């Protein structure tokens, strides 16, 4: 088994995935807030 050296792993794919997750989550939260405000103003 190869010896592990701290800080040597290539994590570019994980960083891109996490960035996409944060972007998607932010957009979903903003959409939910907008829908809640719309319903509060024009109430159903």
């Amino acid at each position: 088994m190869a010896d592990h050296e701290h800080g040597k792993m290539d994590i570019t794919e994980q960083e891109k995935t996490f960035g996409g997750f944060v972007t998607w989550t932010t957009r979903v939260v903003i959409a939910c807030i907008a829908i809640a405000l719309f319903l509060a103003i024009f109430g159903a």
Side-chain angles (χ1 to χ4, degrees), residues 5-38:
E5 292 184 34
H6 186 71
K8 297 289 182 178
M9 185 174 158
D10 181 19
I11 60 168
T12 54
E13 286 298 317
Q14 288 88 346
E15 289 175 340
K16 287 194 299 188
T17 301
F18 180 73
F21 170 75
V22 170
T23 300
W24 182 83
T25 302
T26 303
R27 290 178 180 171
V28 168
V29 168
I30 290 171
C32 288
I33 291 170
I35 291 169
L37 285 173
F38 177 81

